[in-house]
Amino acid sequence: MNTDCDYSSAYVSLCTNTDLVGHGMTFTIGRGNDIVCMAIKEVAARLVGKDTEELFADMGKTWDWLVADPQLRWIGPEKGVIHIATGAVNNAVWDLFARTRQKPLWKLIVDMSPEEIVRSTTFRYITDALTPAEALDILKSNDSGKKEREQTVKQVGYPAYVTSAGWLGYSDEKIATLTKEAISHGFNHFKMKVGADQADDLRRGRLIRSLIDDPSLLPSGTKARDPNSAELKGKNAGPTGAVLMIDANQVWDVEEAVEYVRGLQEIKPWFIEEPTAPDDIFGHANIRRYLAPYGIGVATGEHAHNRIVFKQLFQAEAIDVCQIDSCRLAGVSEVLSVLLMAKKYGVPVCPHAGGVGLCEYVIHLSLIDYIAISGSMERNVLEYVDHLHEHFLYPCSINDKGRYNVPTNPLEGYSIEMHKSSIAEFSWPAGSYWMSAKEKGQVPQ
Ligand SMILES: [Mg+2]
C-alpha cells in the first residue's frame, strides 16, 4: 500500500521574543509534504502575538483555539491535511512549554496535578465515552504511584518491538539476519508486513517464527519468558516467549481480511494491524469478532484521524490494541484524550512509530501513559525502527534489553528539534541534497 515512500517531515518552529523556540513536526511519506507545510503556516498564524504563559495556563483552551478557525475548519473538520498540520503546531506549543519549564515533555505532564492534565485535554465530542470527571478519577487513582513508576521505568526502560526485520520484498537471507540481530538486541516482540501474497507471507512468517522461537538464539544470560505470564498471556507467544505481530497497511476489504488472516493462523500472530480502511469502525469490529475464535486480535490507529474515531473503536469493541500516532492526532492535547479513553475501556496503547521523528515523539507519550494514566506497561510495546535518528538533537535510544531509554535532558522538550545541518541539506526543494540531485537529473517527479 505504502509503496515508494520518501520519508518526509513537515516541520515548524515557533519563535518568541526571547531566545526560546518551540519545534514540532508531522510525518508524511513524500509528495504532499509541502501542502502540509502550507496548512501549518495557516494554523500557526493563529498564535502570532499571543502570550506564551497565557497559552500554557490552559492547554485545552489553546487546542480549542487552534482548531476553531471557521474557514480552515471547513477543509476538515479535524481530519486530513488540516488536522495533521494542527498536530505539528500543537506539538510545537507543547515543546515550547516543556522547554520553558526545563523538563522533557513527559516529565512536564506527569508532574502536573490531575486537574491540570484534565485542563490540558480536549473533551469535545467524546463526553459520551469519557467525561472530565471520569478522567479526573482515573488520574487521581494513579497519582500516588507516579514517583515509584517513574523510578522503575528509568531503571528498566519502556518495552519496545521491532518492525524492520519483516518488510515485504526482503530476501530470506536479509530477514534471517535482521531477525537474529533484533533477538541479540534483546527484543521479544517482532512485526512483519503482510498482504501482498499469502503463500509468501506464510513462508516469511515460518522463517521468522523458527528464529524467534529458537532458545539457542537468545542473548547469553537471557532466559526464555513464560508464554503464560501476565505480560504474554493471550499474545500467542512461542516457547521462548517471543511474540509475532502482522501488519497489512489497510489492503483488504472486511471479508477478505478475515479469510486471509485465518490462513496465517499457523504463524500465531498476536494481532493483525490495519486490516482494512482506517475509518471503518464496524469493519474492524467484525474482523475482530470473526478472528477471535482463532486467537488473533485486531490493532489499528496510525491512520485514525482524531479522538472521535478512537472513541467509536472503543465503544464498538473493535480493537485489542490502540495504536495512536503522535502527529496524525492533533498533538499532545488530543493524544491525552485517547490515552484516557483507552484506560477507561481497558485497551493497551502501543503507539505507532518508525517514520521521521515518530520514535523521538512517542516515548514521551508512552511514559505519560504508564506513569500518569494507565499505571501499567506490562502488556504494552512501543514500535521502534532504527532509522533517521541522526537528524535529531536528542535522538531516542534503546537499552540492551530492547527497551526505550527515558529521555532526561531538561533542554530537550518534546525531543523533536532537528539539526540545522539536516534541515539545510534536505529542505525541499532548495536543500543541498535536492540541488545536487537536480544537477544529476535525479529529482523525482
Ligand atoms: Mg503499521
Side-chain angles (χ1 to χ4, degrees):
M1 186 65 85
N2 301 332
T3 56
D4 302 322
C5 299
D6 188 357
Y7 278 12
S8 305
S9 160
Y11 186 79
V12 55
S13 299
L14 299 176
C15 301
T16 66
N17 59 352
T18 71
D19 290 342
L20 276 168
V21 181
H23 304 275
M25 54 140 270
T26 194
F27 171 66
T28 75
I29 61 169
R31 282 195 309 283
N33 199 69
D34 34 7
I35 301 174
V36 183
C37 288
M38 288 170 71
I40 285 175
K41 279 185 189 153
E42 292 289 335
V43 175
R46 293 180 70 73
L47 298 173
V48 174
K50 293 274 181 193
D51 180 283
T52 51
E53 286 304 321
E54 276 176 29
L55 295 172
F56 304 155
D58 190 336
M59 288 295 278
K61 202 168 145 197
T62 297
W63 192 90
D64 287 343
W65 170 250
L66 284 177
V67 298
D69 184 303
Q71 295 187 16
L72 295 178
R73 192 175 189 279
W74 188 262
I75 58 171
E78 300 186 34
K79 60 175 78 71
V81 169
I82 201 68
H83 207 55
I84 62 177
T86 308
V89 176
N90 185 251
N91 284 342
V93 179
W94 277 102
D95 180 69
L96 192 63
F97 188 3
R99 285 163 188 262
T100 61
R101 302 305 187 261
Q102 304 213 332
K103 289 179 181 180
L105 185 273
W106 68 266
K107 180 71 173 151
L108 172 78
I109 293 180
V110 306
D111 283 352
M112 286 177 168
S113 67
E115 288 79 5
E116 280 176 291
I117 297 179
V118 167
R119 205 163 53 235
S120 302
T121 304
T122 177
F123 286 95
R124 193 175 199 185
Y125 304 135
I126 63 164
T127 51
D128 54 323
L130 180 82
T131 63
E134 287 173 308
L136 196 60
D137 285 347
I138 290 171
L139 292 159
K140 280 185 172 167
S141 69
N142 280 320
D143 204 43
S144 61
K146 285 197 298 193
K147 280 275 162 296
E148 193 186 325
R149 286 191 292 275
E150 185 177 327
Q151 284 315 315
T152 304
V153 71
K154 277 182 174 167
Q155 272 166 21
V156 301
Y158 193 91
Y161 73 89
V162 274
T163 305
S164 348
W167 292 102
L168 293 170
Y170 281 2
S171 69
D172 285 4
E173 202 182 356
K174 186 161 182 178
I175 292 171
T177 308
L178 289 171
T179 306
K180 284 181 196 165
E181 213 171 274
I183 297 169
S184 75
H185 288 145
F187 290 101
N188 79 322
H189 285 64
F190 307 83
K191 195 166 82 186
M192 63 176 262
K193 299 283 181 179
V194 296
D197 178 280
Q198 199 188 44
D200 185 63
D201 293 341
L202 266 179
R203 188 181 48 75
R204 290 183 306 121
R206 284 184 192 125
L207 172 62
I208 294 176
R209 274 246 82 111
S210 74
L211 298 167
I212 64 178
D213 288 346
D214 181 351
S216 73
L217 294 176
L218 289 172
S220 59
T222 311
K223 282 193 203 136
R225 300 171 208 221
D226 176 6
N228 292 313
S229 61
E231 174 206 350
L232 296 173
K233 205 169 181 351
K235 291 186 177 180
N236 290 325
T240 63
V243 177
L244 181 65
M245 298 96 91
I246 54 176
D247 181 358
N249 289 103
Q250 315 162 15
V251 290
W252 302 306
D253 279 22
V254 172
E255 288 168 351
E256 203 184 354
V258 173
E259 230 15 71
Y260 196 109
V261 176
R262 269 183 195 163
L264 299 179
Q265 199 193 0
E266 177 198 330
I267 59 172
K268 296 181 288 174
W270 170 25
F271 60 66
I272 173 68
E273 172 175 327
E274 286 206 298
T276 191
D279 297 356
D280 190 353
I281 287 109
F282 289 159
H284 281 87
N286 282 331
I287 294 168
R288 182 172 185 248
R289 191 152 48 92
Y290 287 119
L291 288 179
Y294 299 86
I296 303 171
V298 169
T300 198
E302 70 182 76
H303 274 260
H305 42 70
N306 58 40
R307 67 206 173 284
I308 301 127
V309 173
F310 280 107
K311 176 188 79 172
Q312 294 191 7
L313 287 166
F314 296 135
Q315 288 173 325
E317 298 181 4
I319 50 172
D320 296 274
V321 169
C322 168
Q323 297 177 310
I324 50 163
D325 183 280
S326 52
C327 47
R328 182 172 299 279
L329 289 172
V332 177
S333 292
E334 190 174 32
V335 166
L336 289 172
S337 70
V338 179
L339 296 179
L340 285 158
M341 282 192 287
K343 168 65 178 173
K344 179 179 167 183
Y345 285 83
V347 177
V349 177
C350 300
H352 166 241
V356 189
L358 300 186
C359 297
E360 276 67 27
Y361 266 153
V362 289
I363 177 58
H364 290 267
L365 303 178
S366 284
L367 290 170
I368 295 163
D369 180 49
Y370 169 57
I371 297 169
I373 297 177
S374 73
S376 169
M377 59 173 168
E378 202 171 28
R379 293 180 63 76
N380 306 65
V381 272
L382 177 47
E383 188 163 18
Y384 178 72
V385 179
D386 192 7
H387 190 203
L388 300 169
H389 304 302
E390 68 276 16
H391 299 297
F392 294 88
L393 263 67
Y394 306 97
C396 67
S397 63
I398 292 284
N399 69 19
D400 62 359
K401 300 276 186 293
R403 298 164 78 102
Y404 273 84
N405 288 312
V406 172
T408 52
N409 191 317
L411 303 177
E412 70 185 283
Y414 203 176
S415 309
I416 211 67
E417 182 177 2
M418 284 189 192
H419 287 294
K420 286 194 168 59
S421 55
S422 293
I423 294 172
E425 187 176 358
F426 293 105
S427 284
W428 168 266
S432 57
Y433 172 88
W434 297 108
M435 294 307 275
S436 97
K438 197 174 166 190
E439 275 167 30
K440 294 177 201 155
Q442 293 170 346
V443 177
Q445 296 307 303

